[in-house]
C-alpha cells in the first residue's frame, strides 16, 4: 500500500497540471474518419463540466480511431471542465489500461474519475483484438481488422497503438507531449510497464527503436508510470504450469 501511495504521489508531482494552451475542445481525433465528439456533463454531479469523448451506441459506447497501421482502436478520452476564461488544452494526461480480456474504462468509472477530478486528461483504449478493437464486437475480421489480432502486448503493436493515439492528441493541443503517465493492472500493468521502459522511444515492427514523435513531429515522452500486479513473462503466465 505504501508503495502504491508513493507511486501515485510521484506521478502527480511529475505531471503537475499545465496551463491550457489551445482553442476549445469540442471533439478529439479531429482528423480521423469519424472524430470523437466530446459531451459536456450537466451540472449537479461531481462530473459537472467534464468532457466525455466516447461513443454513443449503448451498451458498449464504441468509438474507433485508426492506429498507425490502420487498425481501428476503440478509445475514450475524458477531459476536465473547460476553464472559465482563456484557452483550453495542453493537459497532463494519464493512460489507464485494462486487464486481459477487458475493455476501455468508462469516463464515469472511479478509476478514471480519480484523475479527471484533479484536472488531468485521461486516455483509455480497448487493446487490439478485444471487443470493439477488432474483437468480439467485430465478427468479420477483414479490411482494417485483418491485422487487428492480439499480439500479447507487443511493443511494436499494442504499445505503439497508445503512443500513436497520444501523439494525435498532442498534435491537436489537447494534451502536453511530455506530461504523460500510465497505469493499469495485469495486462494493463504490462502496458504501463512497457510504456515506461520505452519512455521516449517507439519500437517498429522490425524491432528497431526510434525516437517517439507525434505524427506531426512533436517529441513525446512518458513522465511516470504505476504498473500494478503485472507479469514478467506473459506467454508463460497464460499457459498451464
Amino acid at each position: 500500500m505504501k508503495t502504491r501511495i508513493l507511486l501515485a504521489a510521484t506521478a502527480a508531482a511529475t505531471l503537475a497540471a499545465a496551463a491550457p494552451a489551445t482553442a476549445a475542445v469540442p471533439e478529439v481525433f479531429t482528423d480521423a474518419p469519424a472524430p470523437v465528439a466530446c459531451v459536456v456533463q450537466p451540472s449537479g454531479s461531481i462530473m459537472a463540466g467534464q468532457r466525455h469523448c466516447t461513443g454513443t451506441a449503448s451498451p458498449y459506447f464504441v468509438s474507433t480511431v485508426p492506429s498507425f497501421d490502420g487498425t481501428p482502436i476503440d478509445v475514450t478520452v475524458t477531459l476536465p471542465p473547460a476553464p472559465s476564461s482563456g484557452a483550453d488544452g495542453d493537459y497532463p494526461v494519464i493512460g489507464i489500461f485494462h486487464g486481459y480480456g477487458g475493455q476501455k474504462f468508462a469516463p464515469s468509472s472511479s478509476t478514471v474519475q480519480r484523475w479527471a477530478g484533479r484536472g488531468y486528461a485521461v486516455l483509455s483504449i480497448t487493446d487490439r483484438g478485444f471487443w470493439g478493437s477488432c474483437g468480439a464486437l467485430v465478427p468479420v475480421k477483414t479490411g482494417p481488422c485483418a491485422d487487428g489480432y492480439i499480439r500479447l502486448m507487443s511493443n511494436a503493436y499494442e504499445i505503439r497503438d497508445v503512443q500513436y493515439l497520444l501523439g494525435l492528441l498532442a498534435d491537436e493541443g489537447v494534451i502536453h507531449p511530455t506530461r504523460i503517465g500510465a497505469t493499469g493492472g495485469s495486462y494493463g500493468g504490462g502496458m504501463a510497464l512497457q510504456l515506461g521502459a520505452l519512455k521516449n522511444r517507439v519500437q517498429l515492427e522490425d524491432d528497431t527503436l526510434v525516437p517517439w514523435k507525434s505524427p506531426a513531429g512533436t517529441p513525446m515522452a512518458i513522465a511516470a508510470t504505476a504498473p500494478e500486479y503485472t507479469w514478467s513473462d506473459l506467454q508463460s503466465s497464460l499457459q498451464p504450469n
Side-chain angles (χ1 to χ4, degrees), residues 6 11 43 123 156 235:
L6 178 60
S43 60
L123 169 74
Q235 290 182 335

Side-chain angles (χ1 to χ4, degrees), residues 25-112:
V25 184
E27 62 184 18
V28 291
F29 304 112
T30 54
D31 290 333
V36 181
C38 302
V39 178
V40 179
Q41 301 305 294
S43 60
S45 76
I46 60 172
M47 297 185 293
Q50 290 181 7
R51 279 74 57 81
H52 293 181
C53 315
T54 189
T56 57
S58 179
Y60 296 105
F61 302 98
V62 173
S63 48
T64 60
V65 175
S67 188
F68 67 94
D69 63 351
T71 298
I73 301 298
D74 186 15
V75 60
T76 284
V77 176
T78 305
L79 300 175
S84 57
S85 62
D88 180 22
D90 204 29
Y91 294 105
V93 60
I94 303 291
I96 301 178
F97 306 106
H98 63 79
Y100 190 86
Q103 57 185 311
K104 65 184 185 180
F105 287 87
S108 58
S109 70
S110 60
T111 305
V112 172

Side-chain angles (χ1 to χ4, degrees), residues 169-183:
L169 292 175
D171 285 342
E172 293 173 10
V174 175
I175 66 166
H176 193 285
T178 60
R179 294 186 176 183
I180 301 172
T183 188

Side-chain angles (χ1 to χ4, degrees), residues 142-161:
T142 58
C145 280
D147 291 323
Y149 53 88
I150 300 165
R151 308 286 182 130
L152 289 182
M153 205 52 74
S154 165
N155 283 338
Y157 290 93
E158 282 93 345
I159 310 303
R160 193 175 172 189
D161 289 335

Side-chain angles (χ1 to χ4, degrees), residues 4 14-15 18 20 27 40 45 57 65 82 107 109 125 136 148-149 158 164 208 210 212:
R4 291 180 61 184
T14 305
L15 298 165
E27 62 184 18
V40 179
S45 76
V65 175
S109 70
I125 73 166
Y149 53 88
E158 282 93 345
Y164 180 78
T208 301
V210 299
W212 178 15

